[in-house]
Short mmCIF file of all heavy atoms in Angstrom, two decimals:
data_model
loop_
_atom_site.label_atom_id
_atom_site.label_comp_id
_atom_site.label_asym_id
_atom_site.label_seq_id
_atom_site.Cartn_x
_atom_site.Cartn_y
_atom_site.Cartn_z
N MET F 1 11.11 -20.50 -31.42
CA MET F 1 11.20 -21.88 -31.74
C MET F 1 11.35 -22.00 -33.27
O MET F 1 12.11 -22.80 -33.69
CB MET F 1 10.00 -22.67 -31.24
CG MET F 1 10.03 -23.00 -29.82
SD MET F 1 10.46 -24.68 -29.76
CE MET F 1 11.54 -24.76 -28.42
N GLY F 2 10.49 -21.40 -34.02
CA GLY F 2 10.56 -21.48 -35.45
C GLY F 2 10.03 -22.78 -36.02
O GLY F 2 9.19 -23.42 -35.40
N GLY F 3 10.54 -23.18 -37.15
CA GLY F 3 10.11 -24.35 -37.84
C GLY F 3 10.59 -25.65 -37.26
O GLY F 3 10.10 -26.73 -37.57
N VAL F 4 11.53 -25.60 -36.33
CA VAL F 4 12.10 -26.83 -35.68
C VAL F 4 11.02 -27.46 -34.83
O VAL F 4 10.96 -28.76 -34.70
CB VAL F 4 13.32 -26.46 -34.86
CG1 VAL F 4 13.86 -27.69 -34.20
CG2 VAL F 4 14.32 -25.82 -35.79
N LEU F 5 10.10 -26.66 -34.26
CA LEU F 5 9.02 -27.24 -33.43
C LEU F 5 8.17 -28.22 -34.20
O LEU F 5 7.65 -29.22 -33.61
CB LEU F 5 8.15 -26.04 -32.90
CG LEU F 5 6.96 -26.49 -31.99
CD1 LEU F 5 7.53 -27.10 -30.71
CD2 LEU F 5 6.18 -25.26 -31.68
N VAL F 6 7.99 -27.94 -35.49
CA VAL F 6 7.15 -28.83 -36.35
C VAL F 6 7.82 -30.19 -36.40
O VAL F 6 7.09 -31.22 -36.32
CB VAL F 6 6.97 -28.23 -37.78
CG1 VAL F 6 6.29 -29.20 -38.66
CG2 VAL F 6 6.22 -26.90 -37.69
N PHE F 7 9.10 -30.30 -36.55
CA PHE F 7 9.78 -31.54 -36.60
C PHE F 7 9.74 -32.30 -35.26
O PHE F 7 9.61 -33.54 -35.21
CB PHE F 7 11.22 -31.39 -37.11
CG PHE F 7 11.26 -30.91 -38.54
CD1 PHE F 7 11.74 -29.60 -38.80
CD2 PHE F 7 10.86 -31.75 -39.57
CE1 PHE F 7 11.77 -29.20 -40.12
CE2 PHE F 7 10.92 -31.35 -40.84
CZ PHE F 7 11.36 -30.06 -41.12
N TRP F 8 9.85 -31.59 -34.17
CA TRP F 8 9.83 -32.20 -32.87
C TRP F 8 8.45 -32.82 -32.56
O TRP F 8 8.33 -33.88 -32.05
CB TRP F 8 10.20 -31.21 -31.71
CG TRP F 8 11.68 -30.95 -31.66
CD1 TRP F 8 12.32 -29.84 -31.95
CD2 TRP F 8 12.67 -31.90 -31.29
NE1 TRP F 8 13.66 -29.96 -31.74
CE2 TRP F 8 13.92 -31.26 -31.36
CE3 TRP F 8 12.68 -33.18 -30.81
CZ2 TRP F 8 15.10 -31.87 -31.03
CZ3 TRP F 8 13.84 -33.79 -30.54
CH2 TRP F 8 15.07 -33.20 -30.59
N ILE F 9 7.43 -32.02 -32.87
CA ILE F 9 6.09 -32.54 -32.68
C ILE F 9 5.75 -33.69 -33.62
O ILE F 9 5.14 -34.69 -33.30
CB ILE F 9 5.00 -31.43 -32.90
CG1 ILE F 9 5.24 -30.31 -31.94
CG2 ILE F 9 3.63 -31.93 -32.78
CD1 ILE F 9 4.98 -30.59 -30.47
N GLY F 10 6.32 -33.64 -34.84
CA GLY F 10 6.14 -34.79 -35.82
C GLY F 10 6.82 -36.05 -35.23
O GLY F 10 6.29 -37.13 -35.35
N ALA F 11 8.02 -35.89 -34.64
CA ALA F 11 8.66 -37.09 -34.06
C ALA F 11 7.85 -37.60 -32.89
O ALA F 11 7.79 -38.80 -32.66
CB ALA F 11 10.09 -36.63 -33.57
N LEU F 12 7.24 -36.72 -32.10
CA LEU F 12 6.42 -37.12 -30.97
C LEU F 12 5.16 -37.92 -31.54
O LEU F 12 4.79 -39.01 -30.95
CB LEU F 12 5.96 -35.95 -30.15
CG LEU F 12 4.96 -36.17 -29.06
CD1 LEU F 12 5.77 -36.95 -27.89
CD2 LEU F 12 4.42 -34.95 -28.54
N ILE F 13 4.57 -37.43 -32.58
CA ILE F 13 3.41 -38.13 -33.18
C ILE F 13 3.80 -39.45 -33.71
O ILE F 13 3.07 -40.48 -33.53
CB ILE F 13 2.78 -37.22 -34.27
CG1 ILE F 13 2.17 -35.94 -33.68
CG2 ILE F 13 1.66 -37.96 -34.98
CD1 ILE F 13 1.06 -36.16 -32.67
N VAL F 14 4.95 -39.54 -34.37
CA VAL F 14 5.46 -40.90 -34.86
C VAL F 14 5.64 -41.85 -33.68
O VAL F 14 5.29 -43.01 -33.72
CB VAL F 14 6.66 -40.71 -35.70
CG1 VAL F 14 7.38 -42.04 -35.97
CG2 VAL F 14 6.41 -39.99 -37.01
N GLY F 15 6.18 -41.37 -32.60
CA GLY F 15 6.42 -42.20 -31.37
C GLY F 15 5.08 -42.68 -30.85
O GLY F 15 4.92 -43.85 -30.43
N ILE F 16 4.07 -41.78 -30.79
CA ILE F 16 2.70 -42.18 -30.30
C ILE F 16 2.11 -43.24 -31.27
O ILE F 16 1.53 -44.21 -30.83
CB ILE F 16 1.84 -40.97 -30.18
CG1 ILE F 16 2.34 -40.08 -29.01
CG2 ILE F 16 0.37 -41.37 -29.91
CD1 ILE F 16 1.57 -38.78 -28.93
N CYS F 17 2.28 -43.08 -32.58
CA CYS F 17 1.78 -44.02 -33.54
C CYS F 17 2.44 -45.39 -33.40
O CYS F 17 1.71 -46.40 -33.53
CB CYS F 17 1.95 -43.51 -34.97
SG CYS F 17 0.87 -42.11 -35.39
N VAL F 18 3.68 -45.43 -33.09
CA VAL F 18 4.43 -46.72 -32.86
C VAL F 18 3.83 -47.37 -31.55
O VAL F 18 3.58 -48.59 -31.53
CB VAL F 18 5.89 -46.54 -32.87
CG1 VAL F 18 6.57 -47.79 -32.32
CG2 VAL F 18 6.45 -46.12 -34.21
N GLY F 19 3.61 -46.54 -30.57
CA GLY F 19 3.00 -47.13 -29.35
C GLY F 19 1.54 -47.60 -29.53
O GLY F 19 1.16 -48.62 -29.01
N VAL F 20 0.83 -46.96 -30.47
CA VAL F 20 -0.53 -47.41 -30.76
C VAL F 20 -0.50 -48.73 -31.43
O VAL F 20 -1.47 -49.53 -31.27
CB VAL F 20 -1.27 -46.30 -31.62
CG1 VAL F 20 -2.49 -46.83 -32.26
CG2 VAL F 20 -1.61 -45.06 -30.80
N LEU F 21 0.53 -49.04 -32.18
CA LEU F 21 0.55 -50.36 -32.84
C LEU F 21 0.49 -51.52 -31.86
O LEU F 21 -0.02 -52.60 -32.12
CB LEU F 21 1.83 -50.42 -33.64
CG LEU F 21 1.90 -49.59 -34.92
CD1 LEU F 21 3.27 -49.70 -35.59
CD2 LEU F 21 0.80 -49.96 -35.93
N PHE F 22 0.95 -51.30 -30.65
CA PHE F 22 1.01 -52.37 -29.64
C PHE F 22 -0.04 -52.20 -28.61
O PHE F 22 -0.25 -53.08 -27.77
CB PHE F 22 2.42 -52.39 -28.97
CG PHE F 22 3.54 -52.58 -29.93
CD1 PHE F 22 4.38 -51.54 -30.27
CD2 PHE F 22 3.70 -53.80 -30.54
CE1 PHE F 22 5.41 -51.76 -31.17
CE2 PHE F 22 4.71 -54.01 -31.47
CZ PHE F 22 5.55 -52.97 -31.76
N ALA F 23 -0.78 -51.08 -28.61
CA ALA F 23 -1.74 -50.78 -27.51
C ALA F 23 -3.06 -51.54 -27.65
O ALA F 23 -3.72 -51.87 -26.69
CB ALA F 23 -1.94 -49.32 -27.41
N PHE F 24 -3.47 -51.78 -28.86
CA PHE F 24 -4.82 -52.29 -29.10
C PHE F 24 -4.83 -53.82 -29.40
O PHE F 24 -5.58 -54.30 -30.24
CB PHE F 24 -5.56 -51.56 -30.29
CG PHE F 24 -5.85 -50.15 -29.97
CD1 PHE F 24 -5.17 -49.14 -30.69
CD2 PHE F 24 -6.78 -49.80 -29.07
CE1 PHE F 24 -5.42 -47.80 -30.42
CE2 PHE F 24 -7.01 -48.45 -28.78
CZ PHE F 24 -6.37 -47.45 -29.45
N LYS F 25 -4.07 -54.58 -28.65
CA LYS F 25 -4.00 -56.03 -28.89
C LYS F 25 -5.18 -56.78 -28.39
O LYS F 25 -5.64 -57.73 -28.95
CB LYS F 25 -2.72 -56.60 -28.33
CG LYS F 25 -1.48 -56.11 -29.10
CD LYS F 25 -0.38 -57.04 -28.75
CE LYS F 25 0.75 -56.51 -29.53
NZ LYS F 25 1.58 -57.48 -30.20
N GLY F 26 -5.81 -56.37 -27.24
CA GLY F 26 -6.86 -57.18 -26.65
C GLY F 26 -8.27 -56.76 -27.14
O GLY F 26 -9.27 -57.33 -26.68
N MET F 27 -8.38 -55.78 -28.01
CA MET F 27 -9.75 -55.35 -28.47
C MET F 27 -10.34 -56.34 -29.51
O MET F 27 -9.65 -57.19 -30.03
CB MET F 27 -9.67 -53.95 -29.03
CG MET F 27 -9.09 -53.03 -28.01
SD MET F 27 -9.45 -51.30 -28.27
CE MET F 27 -11.11 -51.16 -27.77
N SER F 28 -11.61 -56.13 -29.80
CA SER F 28 -12.33 -57.03 -30.77
C SER F 28 -11.83 -56.89 -32.15
O SER F 28 -11.65 -57.90 -32.84
CB SER F 28 -13.78 -56.74 -30.72
OG SER F 28 -14.06 -55.36 -31.15
N ASP F 29 -11.52 -55.67 -32.61
CA ASP F 29 -11.04 -55.46 -34.01
C ASP F 29 -9.84 -54.48 -33.94
O ASP F 29 -10.01 -53.31 -34.17
CB ASP F 29 -12.10 -54.91 -34.84
CG ASP F 29 -11.80 -55.01 -36.43
OD1 ASP F 29 -10.74 -55.60 -36.70
OD2 ASP F 29 -12.59 -54.50 -37.18
N PRO F 30 -8.63 -55.01 -33.58
CA PRO F 30 -7.53 -54.12 -33.35
C PRO F 30 -7.02 -53.35 -34.61
O PRO F 30 -6.54 -52.24 -34.49
CB PRO F 30 -6.39 -54.99 -32.85
CG PRO F 30 -6.78 -56.38 -33.25
CD PRO F 30 -8.31 -56.40 -33.34
N THR F 31 -7.17 -53.97 -35.75
CA THR F 31 -6.71 -53.33 -36.99
C THR F 31 -7.52 -52.09 -37.24
O THR F 31 -6.97 -50.99 -37.66
CB THR F 31 -6.84 -54.26 -38.20
OG1 THR F 31 -6.18 -55.45 -37.85
CG2 THR F 31 -6.28 -53.70 -39.42
N LEU F 32 -8.85 -52.07 -37.08
CA LEU F 32 -9.66 -50.95 -37.25
C LEU F 32 -9.33 -49.81 -36.29
O LEU F 32 -9.18 -48.68 -36.64
CB LEU F 32 -11.14 -51.32 -37.15
CG LEU F 32 -12.16 -50.24 -37.22
CD1 LEU F 32 -12.19 -49.64 -38.63
CD2 LEU F 32 -13.53 -50.68 -36.81
N TRP F 33 -9.13 -50.19 -35.00
CA TRP F 33 -8.81 -49.16 -33.97
C TRP F 33 -7.43 -48.55 -34.26
O TRP F 33 -7.27 -47.33 -34.13
CB TRP F 33 -8.84 -49.79 -32.62
CG TRP F 33 -10.23 -50.03 -32.14
CD1 TRP F 33 -10.89 -51.20 -32.18
CD2 TRP F 33 -11.15 -49.01 -31.63
NE1 TRP F 33 -12.20 -51.02 -31.72
CE2 TRP F 33 -12.36 -49.70 -31.34
CE3 TRP F 33 -11.04 -47.69 -31.34
CZ2 TRP F 33 -13.44 -49.01 -30.82
CZ3 TRP F 33 -12.12 -47.00 -30.81
CH2 TRP F 33 -13.33 -47.65 -30.60
N ARG F 34 -6.51 -49.32 -34.65
CA ARG F 34 -5.11 -48.82 -34.95
C ARG F 34 -5.18 -47.90 -36.13
O ARG F 34 -4.57 -46.81 -36.10
CB ARG F 34 -4.22 -49.95 -35.26
CG ARG F 34 -3.59 -50.58 -34.04
CD ARG F 34 -2.54 -51.62 -34.46
NE ARG F 34 -2.93 -52.88 -33.84
CZ ARG F 34 -2.65 -54.07 -34.37
NH1 ARG F 34 -2.01 -54.14 -35.47
NH2 ARG F 34 -3.14 -55.13 -33.77
N THR F 35 -5.87 -48.28 -37.15
CA THR F 35 -5.93 -47.51 -38.40
C THR F 35 -6.65 -46.16 -38.09
O THR F 35 -6.19 -45.12 -38.56
CB THR F 35 -6.73 -48.29 -39.47
OG1 THR F 35 -6.11 -49.50 -39.75
CG2 THR F 35 -6.76 -47.46 -40.75
N CYS F 36 -7.78 -46.17 -37.40
CA CYS F 36 -8.47 -44.92 -37.08
C CYS F 36 -7.67 -43.99 -36.20
O CYS F 36 -7.62 -42.81 -36.44
CB CYS F 36 -9.80 -45.25 -36.37
SG CYS F 36 -11.02 -46.00 -37.44
N THR F 37 -6.99 -44.61 -35.22
CA THR F 37 -6.12 -43.76 -34.37
C THR F 37 -4.98 -43.13 -35.07
O THR F 37 -4.73 -41.94 -34.92
CB THR F 37 -5.64 -44.63 -33.12
OG1 THR F 37 -6.78 -45.22 -32.54
CG2 THR F 37 -4.94 -43.71 -32.15
N ILE F 38 -4.25 -43.94 -35.84
CA ILE F 38 -3.10 -43.38 -36.54
C ILE F 38 -3.56 -42.37 -37.61
O ILE F 38 -2.86 -41.35 -37.74
CB ILE F 38 -2.27 -44.55 -37.20
CG1 ILE F 38 -1.64 -45.39 -36.04
CG2 ILE F 38 -1.25 -44.05 -38.12
CD1 ILE F 38 -0.93 -46.61 -36.49
N LEU F 39 -4.60 -42.62 -38.33
CA LEU F 39 -5.11 -41.62 -39.30
C LEU F 39 -5.51 -40.38 -38.62
O LEU F 39 -5.30 -39.28 -39.17
CB LEU F 39 -6.18 -42.20 -40.14
CG LEU F 39 -5.77 -43.14 -41.28
CD1 LEU F 39 -6.98 -43.78 -41.96
CD2 LEU F 39 -4.89 -42.44 -42.27
N SER F 40 -6.25 -40.49 -37.49
CA SER F 40 -6.63 -39.26 -36.76
C SER F 40 -5.45 -38.47 -36.32
O SER F 40 -5.39 -37.20 -36.47
CB SER F 40 -7.47 -39.66 -35.60
OG SER F 40 -8.67 -40.27 -35.96
N LEU F 41 -4.43 -39.11 -35.71
CA LEU F 41 -3.24 -38.41 -35.32
C LEU F 41 -2.56 -37.75 -36.44
O LEU F 41 -2.05 -36.57 -36.38
CB LEU F 41 -2.27 -39.34 -34.56
CG LEU F 41 -2.66 -39.80 -33.18
CD1 LEU F 41 -1.75 -40.90 -32.68
CD2 LEU F 41 -2.66 -38.60 -32.20
N ALA F 42 -2.43 -38.44 -37.58
CA ALA F 42 -1.73 -37.89 -38.79
C ALA F 42 -2.48 -36.64 -39.29
O ALA F 42 -1.88 -35.65 -39.59
CB ALA F 42 -1.63 -38.97 -39.87
N CYS F 43 -3.84 -36.74 -39.39
CA CYS F 43 -4.57 -35.64 -39.94
C CYS F 43 -4.53 -34.48 -38.99
O CYS F 43 -4.40 -33.27 -39.50
CB CYS F 43 -6.04 -36.05 -40.14
SG CYS F 43 -6.26 -37.19 -41.53
N CYS F 44 -4.60 -34.67 -37.68
CA CYS F 44 -4.52 -33.58 -36.76
C CYS F 44 -3.17 -32.94 -36.76
O CYS F 44 -3.01 -31.68 -36.75
CB CYS F 44 -4.84 -34.06 -35.33
SG CYS F 44 -6.56 -34.39 -35.04
N TYR F 45 -2.14 -33.76 -36.92
CA TYR F 45 -0.75 -33.15 -37.03
C TYR F 45 -0.58 -32.31 -38.30
O TYR F 45 0.03 -31.27 -38.21
CB TYR F 45 0.29 -34.27 -36.97
CG TYR F 45 1.66 -33.77 -37.35
CD1 TYR F 45 2.37 -32.96 -36.47
CD2 TYR F 45 2.23 -34.06 -38.64
CE1 TYR F 45 3.65 -32.48 -36.79
CE2 TYR F 45 3.56 -33.56 -38.89
CZ TYR F 45 4.15 -32.77 -38.06
OH TYR F 45 5.40 -32.31 -38.36
N LEU F 46 -1.07 -32.87 -39.44
CA LEU F 46 -0.90 -32.06 -40.63
C LEU F 46 -1.70 -30.79 -40.58
O LEU F 46 -1.16 -29.76 -41.00
CB LEU F 46 -1.45 -32.98 -41.78
CG LEU F 46 -0.46 -34.05 -42.32
CD1 LEU F 46 -1.14 -34.83 -43.43
CD2 LEU F 46 0.81 -33.34 -42.85
N MET F 47 -2.88 -30.70 -39.99
CA MET F 47 -3.62 -29.54 -39.87
C MET F 47 -2.92 -28.54 -38.93
O MET F 47 -2.85 -27.37 -39.26
CB MET F 47 -5.05 -29.87 -39.27
CG MET F 47 -5.93 -28.68 -39.25
SD MET F 47 -6.27 -28.01 -40.87
CE MET F 47 -6.97 -26.46 -40.43
N TRP F 48 -2.41 -29.03 -37.83
CA TRP F 48 -1.63 -28.17 -36.96
C TRP F 48 -0.42 -27.61 -37.59
O TRP F 48 -0.10 -26.42 -37.50
CB TRP F 48 -1.28 -28.94 -35.71
CG TRP F 48 -0.37 -28.12 -34.79
CD1 TRP F 48 -0.77 -27.11 -33.90
CD2 TRP F 48 1.07 -28.18 -34.73
NE1 TRP F 48 0.32 -26.60 -33.28
CE2 TRP F 48 1.47 -27.15 -33.84
CE3 TRP F 48 1.99 -28.91 -35.40
CZ2 TRP F 48 2.79 -26.99 -33.55
CZ3 TRP F 48 3.30 -28.73 -35.10
CH2 TRP F 48 3.71 -27.72 -34.15
N ALA F 49 0.35 -28.45 -38.29
CA ALA F 49 1.61 -28.06 -38.88
C ALA F 49 1.36 -27.04 -40.02
O ALA F 49 2.09 -26.03 -40.11
CB ALA F 49 2.32 -29.27 -39.50
N ILE F 50 0.36 -27.23 -40.86
CA ILE F 50 0.08 -26.22 -41.87
C ILE F 50 -0.32 -24.91 -41.35
O ILE F 50 0.11 -23.89 -41.76
CB ILE F 50 -1.00 -26.87 -42.82
CG1 ILE F 50 -0.37 -28.01 -43.62
CG2 ILE F 50 -1.53 -25.76 -43.80
CD1 ILE F 50 -1.42 -28.87 -44.42
N THR F 51 -1.22 -24.95 -40.31
CA THR F 51 -1.65 -23.72 -39.64
C THR F 51 -0.54 -23.03 -38.97
O THR F 51 -0.36 -21.81 -39.05
CB THR F 51 -2.72 -23.96 -38.61
OG1 THR F 51 -3.80 -24.72 -39.26
CG2 THR F 51 -3.31 -22.75 -38.06
N TYR F 52 0.35 -23.75 -38.24
CA TYR F 52 1.53 -23.14 -37.57
C TYR F 52 2.45 -22.50 -38.55
O TYR F 52 2.91 -21.36 -38.33
CB TYR F 52 2.17 -24.18 -36.71
CG TYR F 52 3.35 -23.67 -35.96
CD1 TYR F 52 3.14 -23.00 -34.76
CD2 TYR F 52 4.68 -23.85 -36.39
CE1 TYR F 52 4.24 -22.54 -34.09
CE2 TYR F 52 5.74 -23.44 -35.63
CZ TYR F 52 5.51 -22.73 -34.47
OH TYR F 52 6.61 -22.24 -33.80
N LEU F 53 2.78 -23.19 -39.61
CA LEU F 53 3.70 -22.70 -40.65
C LEU F 53 3.18 -21.55 -41.41
O LEU F 53 3.84 -20.59 -41.80
CB LEU F 53 4.15 -23.80 -41.57
CG LEU F 53 5.10 -24.84 -40.90
CD1 LEU F 53 5.39 -25.96 -41.88
CD2 LEU F 53 6.40 -24.20 -40.45
N ALA F 54 1.85 -21.51 -41.60
CA ALA F 54 1.16 -20.44 -42.27
C ALA F 54 1.26 -19.12 -41.45
O ALA F 54 1.30 -18.06 -41.96
CB ALA F 54 -0.29 -20.76 -42.67
N GLN F 55 1.12 -19.33 -40.15
CA GLN F 55 1.23 -18.15 -39.25
C GLN F 55 2.70 -17.73 -39.08
O GLN F 55 2.95 -16.58 -38.81
CB GLN F 55 0.61 -18.46 -37.89
CG GLN F 55 -0.85 -18.61 -37.94
CD GLN F 55 -1.43 -19.04 -36.58
OE1 GLN F 55 -0.74 -19.11 -35.57
NE2 GLN F 55 -2.77 -19.21 -36.53
N LEU F 56 3.59 -18.68 -39.22
CA LEU F 56 4.99 -18.34 -39.04
C LEU F 56 5.54 -17.52 -40.24
O LEU F 56 6.28 -16.59 -40.08
CB LEU F 56 5.77 -19.63 -38.90
CG LEU F 56 7.18 -19.56 -38.54
CD1 LEU F 56 7.39 -18.96 -37.12
CD2 LEU F 56 7.87 -20.92 -38.52
N HIS F 57 5.05 -17.85 -41.45
CA HIS F 57 5.47 -17.19 -42.66
C HIS F 57 4.22 -16.81 -43.43
O HIS F 57 3.87 -17.51 -44.43
CB HIS F 57 6.37 -18.01 -43.49
CG HIS F 57 7.61 -18.46 -42.85
ND1 HIS F 57 8.61 -17.57 -42.60
CD2 HIS F 57 8.03 -19.67 -42.35
CE1 HIS F 57 9.59 -18.24 -42.00
NE2 HIS F 57 9.24 -19.43 -41.79
N PRO F 58 3.56 -15.71 -43.08
CA PRO F 58 2.30 -15.38 -43.78
C PRO F 58 2.57 -14.81 -45.17
O PRO F 58 3.63 -14.30 -45.52
CB PRO F 58 1.71 -14.26 -42.88
CG PRO F 58 2.91 -13.68 -42.25
CD PRO F 58 3.88 -14.76 -42.02
N ILE F 59 1.54 -14.99 -46.02
CA ILE F 59 1.63 -14.51 -47.40
C ILE F 59 1.15 -13.01 -47.34
O ILE F 59 0.03 -12.80 -46.91
CB ILE F 59 0.78 -15.31 -48.34
CG1 ILE F 59 1.31 -16.75 -48.40
CG2 ILE F 59 0.67 -14.69 -49.73
CD1 ILE F 59 0.40 -17.69 -49.25
N ILE F 60 1.96 -12.12 -47.78
CA ILE F 60 1.57 -10.73 -47.64
C ILE F 60 1.14 -10.28 -49.07
O ILE F 60 1.85 -10.48 -50.08
CB ILE F 60 2.70 -9.82 -47.18
CG1 ILE F 60 3.20 -10.26 -45.81
CG2 ILE F 60 2.36 -8.37 -47.29
CD1 ILE F 60 4.39 -9.61 -45.28
N ILE F 61 -0.06 -9.76 -49.17
CA ILE F 61 -0.64 -9.35 -50.46
C ILE F 61 0.05 -8.01 -50.83
O ILE F 61 -0.08 -7.04 -50.02
CB ILE F 61 -2.14 -9.24 -50.39
CG1 ILE F 61 -2.71 -10.58 -50.06
CG2 ILE F 61 -2.71 -8.69 -51.69
CD1 ILE F 61 -4.24 -10.60 -49.80
N PRO F 62 0.61 -7.89 -51.97
CA PRO F 62 1.20 -6.60 -52.36
C PRO F 62 0.12 -5.50 -52.63
O PRO F 62 -1.03 -5.77 -53.07
CB PRO F 62 1.92 -6.89 -53.64
CG PRO F 62 1.30 -8.06 -54.18
CD PRO F 62 0.78 -8.88 -53.01
N LYS F 63 0.46 -4.26 -52.31
CA LYS F 63 -0.48 -3.15 -52.55
C LYS F 63 -0.34 -2.76 -53.96
O LYS F 63 0.76 -2.51 -54.53
CB LYS F 63 -0.10 -1.95 -51.63
CG LYS F 63 -0.38 -2.19 -50.19
CD LYS F 63 -0.01 -0.97 -49.46
CE LYS F 63 -0.29 -1.24 -47.93
NZ LYS F 63 0.05 -0.04 -47.14
N ARG F 64 -1.52 -2.64 -54.63
CA ARG F 64 -1.53 -2.18 -56.04
C ARG F 64 -2.31 -0.85 -56.10
O ARG F 64 -3.46 -0.79 -55.78
CB ARG F 64 -2.28 -3.24 -56.91
CG ARG F 64 -1.40 -4.50 -56.97
CD ARG F 64 -2.09 -5.56 -57.70
NE ARG F 64 -2.35 -5.14 -59.11
CZ ARG F 64 -3.07 -5.81 -60.02
NH1 ARG F 64 -3.62 -6.93 -59.67
NH2 ARG F 64 -3.25 -5.38 -61.20
N ASP F 65 -1.57 0.18 -56.51
CA ASP F 65 -2.22 1.46 -56.55
C ASP F 65 -2.95 1.73 -57.85
O ASP F 65 -3.92 2.48 -57.92
CB ASP F 65 -1.11 2.57 -56.39
CG ASP F 65 -0.48 2.51 -55.06
OD1 ASP F 65 -1.14 2.08 -54.10
OD2 ASP F 65 0.66 2.91 -54.93
N ASN F 66 -2.54 1.08 -58.93
CA ASN F 66 -3.10 1.43 -60.31
C ASN F 66 -3.98 0.25 -60.76
O ASN F 66 -3.68 -0.29 -61.79
CB ASN F 66 -1.99 1.79 -61.25
CG ASN F 66 -0.98 0.68 -61.34
OD1 ASN F 66 -1.01 -0.33 -60.60
ND2 ASN F 66 -0.12 0.84 -62.27
N LEU F 67 -5.04 -0.03 -60.08
CA LEU F 67 -5.93 -1.10 -60.47
C LEU F 67 -6.77 -0.69 -61.64
O LEU F 67 -7.04 -1.39 -62.58
CB LEU F 67 -6.79 -1.61 -59.33
CG LEU F 67 -6.12 -2.40 -58.23
CD1 LEU F 67 -7.11 -2.72 -57.14
CD2 LEU F 67 -5.51 -3.64 -58.79
N ARG F 68 -7.23 0.56 -61.58
CA ARG F 68 -8.05 1.10 -62.73
C ARG F 68 -7.50 2.43 -63.16
O ARG F 68 -6.98 3.21 -62.34
CB ARG F 68 -9.48 1.34 -62.24
CG ARG F 68 -10.22 0.05 -61.92
CD ARG F 68 -11.63 0.36 -61.59
NE ARG F 68 -12.31 -0.86 -61.18
CZ ARG F 68 -13.49 -0.91 -60.66
NH1 ARG F 68 -14.15 0.21 -60.49
NH2 ARG F 68 -14.05 -2.04 -60.37
N ILE F 69 -7.58 2.64 -64.40
CA ILE F 69 -7.09 3.91 -64.93
C ILE F 69 -8.25 4.89 -64.91
O ILE F 69 -9.38 4.62 -65.39
CB ILE F 69 -6.66 3.73 -66.42
CG1 ILE F 69 -5.47 2.75 -66.49
CG2 ILE F 69 -6.18 5.11 -67.03
CD1 ILE F 69 -5.08 2.39 -67.90
N GLU F 70 -7.99 6.01 -64.23
CA GLU F 70 -8.99 7.04 -64.06
C GLU F 70 -9.04 7.90 -65.35
O GLU F 70 -8.06 8.31 -65.88
CB GLU F 70 -8.63 7.97 -62.83
CG GLU F 70 -8.57 7.17 -61.52
CD GLU F 70 -9.98 6.77 -61.09
OE1 GLU F 70 -10.96 7.42 -61.40
OE2 GLU F 70 -10.03 5.74 -60.41
N PHE F 71 -10.25 8.08 -65.85
CA PHE F 71 -10.44 8.96 -67.00
C PHE F 71 -10.97 10.33 -66.65
O PHE F 71 -11.75 10.53 -65.86
CB PHE F 71 -11.35 8.32 -67.99
CG PHE F 71 -10.76 7.12 -68.66
CD1 PHE F 71 -11.24 5.78 -68.25
CD2 PHE F 71 -9.79 7.20 -69.57
CE1 PHE F 71 -10.69 4.70 -68.86
CE2 PHE F 71 -9.25 6.10 -70.15
CZ PHE F 71 -9.69 4.85 -69.82
#
């Protein structure tokens, strides 16, 4: 799948966030519920995307043979 999966999941999360805008109309404080839900979805998506991309392209530490000069 590669990095394209990140964009597909991002589009899904945006769709869910748009649906959330209309879902909490009958509650006591809909602005608070919408804000909490959208922020939670955005934070979870960012954490997943960063972790997924970090595993997809890991940083490889170079091997250094001459760290100390032997006397």
Side-chain angles (χ1 to χ4, degrees):
M1 280 258 138
V4 178
L5 180 66
V6 174
F7 293 111
W8 283 112
I9 299 293
L12 178 70
I13 295 297
V14 168
I16 292 172
C17 288
V18 169
V20 164
L21 290 175
F22 302 108
F24 293 112
K25 288 198 182 224
M27 302 199 78
S28 61
D29 194 6
T31 306
L32 176 67
W33 285 100
R34 277 186 237 151
T35 304
C36 289
T37 305
I38 290 172
L39 281 175
S40 297
L41 285 170
C43 289
C44 287
Y45 169 72
L46 282 175
M47 184 64 193
W48 174 82
I50 290 169
T51 304
Y52 182 78
L53 290 174
Q55 291 177 2
L56 191 62
H57 300 289
I59 298 174
I60 299 173
I61 299 172
K63 292 182 181 178
R64 294 178 60 188
D65 294 334
N66 55 356
L67 290 176
R68 293 185 185 170
I69 299 173
E70 299 290 329
F71 292 107

